[in-house]
Amino acid sequence: MKPPAPVTMSDLARHLGLSTATVSRALRHHPALPSATCEAVRRAAEELGYRPNPMIGALMSQLRQRRPRALVNLACLYAEESAGNLVQAERDMVAGFQAEAARLGYHADAEPWPPPAGDEDGLVRRWQARNVRGIFLLNVRADRNLNLPWEKFSWVVAGNMAGTPALHRVGNEIHQIVKLALEETLRLGCHRPALAVPLTGERRQGLRWAGAFYGNWLDLLPNAGEPPIFRGPWHEDTFRQWLHAVRPDAVLALTDDVLAWLEHAAPANALKPRFIHLAANSSRFPVPGVCQDFPAVGAAAAQMLDGQLRRNERGIPAEPTTLTVAGRWQPGPGLASGTPSNSASSAA
């Protein structure tokens, strides 16, 4: 007795009264089709026992990769209200994203979040009208879960963002950056480095900077006691109180305001802790620290979206991946232990 013939896509199309092309698109969650159609096709495929032929799927994927993509667009959604020197970092990521997208054959727009008048539906309609298929979410702040049609697009997120499902992510290698900064700080002769990062941003990042500092501290300074981390409100007076209580000989930080606070923390000619920047290429001053390659992070986002589009992957991935970019050490004058300094500008 012959085994039953496998259910084909043509069988599925006849059962549903749809064209084979529509069924094929629905099984790939094509953004041009209504979600209800895609769901109906998926349910029918399960009921009839339809299984895609992997050899045909691989062949079609190769054919789709050879098609010109001049009409396919990408978009970068960034936080309009970004503050401080993080603005330049985000600009660098956008520039890297757009340059790599152009190299790969796409056009990439950058749009602020939230959209004008809070019109999220209008934003999605504009994406669809421009044939945008992939979205790069760049540090979008959200006080609630983002209500975006995840199933219609390919997505990549920068860092850890509240309000989003588990998506593919790109970012800087925080553990490596902190380890490199600590190793170089110890090489400079410091023995008690500390960490100071804004708590609000840390929570959005899942306390990854503090976690990386804590873990690397235990590896590099196993007998030095509890690692000193500034956890108070992000204000100069609070920082000064913490500094006098902890008395570190170096402070690792992400922002230039810590440099100014260190300048004001002690009288002239007093010994001051070294200032080590964890994003030295974002600083207004030639300070020592680790340079984060923000353009490379943006370029990696474009590459990840390109890979998803080539594989016709949309929506929330079953197994999200994370791609990180390492930092490099940048020497610089900054504030040195045992060296008096009179102003933040003198560090330049």
Side-chain angles (χ1 to χ4, degrees):
M1 182 176 179
K2 286 186 176 182
V7 177
T8 66
M9 189 178 294
S10 297
D11 297 332
L12 187 57
R14 281 194 297 271
H15 174 77
L16 292 165
L18 299 172
S19 68
T20 304
T22 298
V23 170
S24 175
R25 287 185 169 192
L27 290 172
R28 291 184 281 115
H29 298 282
H30 196 283
L33 293 179
S35 300
T37 301
C38 296
E39 180 61 21
V41 172
R42 186 193 64 79
R43 285 199 306 267
E46 289 183 357
E47 292 171 0
L48 297 179
Y50 169 76
R51 295 291 182 272
N53 187 315
M55 296 183 66
I56 294 178
L59 175 61
M60 293 304 296
S61 178
Q62 290 183 8
L63 292 175
R64 281 190 288 267
Q65 289 179 25
R66 295 173 185 171
R67 294 175 186 170
R69 286 166 284 152
L71 298 179
V72 177
N73 295 321
L74 307 178
C76 175
L77 200 60
Y78 65 91
E80 189 173 32
E81 70 278 12
S82 299
N85 57 18
L86 289 179
V87 168
Q88 185 57 50
E90 293 177 354
R91 287 175 181 165
D92 289 344
M93 278 191 265
V94 171
F97 175 73
Q98 291 180 317
E100 183 64 12
R103 189 189 71 81
L104 293 169
Y106 301 98
H107 174 76
D109 293 318
E111 302 186 66
W113 180 269
D119 186 9
E120 298 175 18
D121 292 337
L123 176 65
V124 173
R125 287 194 297 270
R126 289 197 301 276
W127 285 343
Q128 292 176 321
R130 298 200 307 264
N131 200 27
V132 170
R133 303 284 185 84
I135 314 293
F136 176 33
L137 295 177
L138 174 53
N139 293 345
V140 172
R141 279 71 162 163
D143 55 4
R144 57 181 174 80
N145 288 341
L146 294 176
N147 184 25
L148 294 171
W150 305 110
E151 74 283 355
K152 291 184 178 295
F153 301 95
S154 302
W155 303 87
V156 172
V157 174
N160 287 338
M161 274 178 38
T164 64
L167 303 171
H168 297 301
R169 298 180 184 274
V170 293
N172 291 288
E173 179 49 74
I174 293 178
H175 185 87
Q176 179 266 343
I177 289 169
V178 174
K179 180 179 181 181
L180 178 59
L182 274 174
E183 289 175 339
E184 293 295 334
T185 301
L186 296 175
R187 193 170 289 119
L188 289 171
C190 299
H191 303 285
R192 186 171 170 74
L195 175 72
V197 293
L199 187 58
T200 301
E202 258 291 79
R203 285 172 175 161
R204 190 172 60 250
Q205 290 281 345
L207 301 178
R208 295 179 66 197
W209 290 100
F213 185 81
Y214 194 95
N216 282 299
W217 172 281
L218 295 180
D219 287 341
L220 299 173
L221 297 162
N223 301 316
E226 191 74 11
I229 301 176
F230 178 53
R231 304 177 185 275
W234 197 249
H235 188 272
E236 182 173 359
D237 291 340
T238 311
F239 175 82
R240 187 179 302 177
Q241 294 171 12
W242 169 82
L243 191 70
H244 289 168
V246 173
R247 297 189 179 279
D249 56 7
V251 177
L252 282 59
L254 281 165
T255 55
D256 282 343
D257 46 7
V258 174
L259 175 59
W261 294 351
L262 287 172
E263 288 280 1
H264 304 155
N269 301 318
L271 301 184
K272 297 185 177 76
R274 284 187 180 272
F275 175 71
I276 305 296
H277 211 303
L278 293 172
N281 47 326
S282 293
S283 176
R284 301 186 303 275
F285 310 107
V287 292
V290 179
C291 288
Q292 299 185 31
D293 196 342
F294 298 114
V297 173
Q303 293 166 6
M304 292 185 79
L305 286 174
D306 177 59
Q308 292 179 67
L309 293 173
R310 287 178 180 273
R311 298 187 298 271
N312 287 290
E313 294 179 4
R314 294 178 180 83
I316 301 172
E319 297 181 1
T321 59
T322 299
L323 191 153
T324 56
V325 178
R328 59 179 176 81
W329 178 253
Q330 169 183 286
L335 288 174
S337 295
T339 303
S341 183
N342 297 320
S343 68
S345 60
S346 69

